[in-house]
Amino acid sequence: MRDSGELETLGRGLYRLSDLPPLGNPDLVTVGMKVPSGVICLISALAFHELTTQIPHEVYIALPRGAEPPRLDHPPIRAFWFTKRAFEFGVEVHKLDGAQVRTYSAGKTVADCFKYRNKIGMDTAREALKLYLERRKKNLETLLEAAEVCRVSKVMRPYLEALV
């Protein structure tokens, strides 16, 4: 079927019918299907929730502590290992292009950005918080709970107070 053009290859062992409309998020779908235990996080989740102006060059994925890093040729992946409590909090399942993709909620993603501010940049974390607070569907209780789970409430509080 692949040789006749009925199937197109998305990645090693991953195919889709070629007459379907193009994928909206091919990298997230590929990673979501190849790494079902992982959760899309940080800049990739910010882009998914439209909380950043950055375009992720890698798919950022969260894994539970002690898990093996995924070995994918494409797309490029950047893995982060979370503690059990931080890994399980705020996981949402979204249906993207017919596939189930796990990603963190918007509030949890903002808290994660402050937790990993030294790896992704403080300017990215501040921008995410600012855009989150400008949303109509913001939930400050969830944001503060996520900050507690990620142990960054004292770091986030001055920025939150300045913006609110």
Side-chain angles (χ1 to χ4, degrees), residues 3-143:
D3 294 340
S4 68
E6 293 179 49
L7 290 178
E8 66 177 295
T9 305
L10 294 179
R12 184 174 169 214
L14 192 61
Y15 303 93
R16 72 185 292 266
L17 294 172
S18 38
D19 60 348
L20 292 175
L23 294 175
N25 296 302
D27 291 346
L28 295 183
V29 169
T30 301
V31 172
M33 293 183 75
K34 289 292 219 172
V35 190
S37 63
V39 182
I40 305 297
C41 67
L42 296 171
I43 297 177
S44 296
L46 287 177
F48 176 78
H49 291 295
E50 299 176 352
L51 292 175
T52 186
T53 55
Q54 294 186 26
I55 299 171
H57 300 290
E58 307 168 293
V59 177
Y60 290 71
I61 188 164
L63 298 168
R65 247 229 185 113
E68 286 288 319
R71 292 174 187 89
L72 293 176
D73 296 333
H74 183 77
I77 292 178
R78 187 164 177 198
F80 293 85
W81 286 266
F82 286 45
T83 61
K84 181 177 171 51
R85 184 172 178 221
F87 180 75
E88 293 173 352
F89 182 83
V91 175
E92 298 175 342
V93 178
H94 297 277
K95 191 163 188 146
L96 297 177
D97 301 319
Q100 301 284 337
V101 178
R102 293 167 19 122
T103 182
Y104 284 118
S105 66
K108 170 71 161 68
T109 301
V110 172
D112 285 340
C113 287
F114 276 90
K115 182 175 183 174
Y116 289 98
R117 64 191 176 276
N118 293 333
K119 294 190 188 261
I120 65 167
M122 191 62 186
D123 55 337
T124 303
R126 284 193 311 258
E127 176 191 41
L129 180 62
K130 181 182 175 202
L131 292 173
Y132 180 81
L133 293 174
E134 291 173 357
R135 297 179 101 186
R136 279 188 274 150
K137 291 184 178 181
K138 66 183 177 211
N139 186 341
L140 291 178
E141 290 177 22
T142 303
L143 179 66

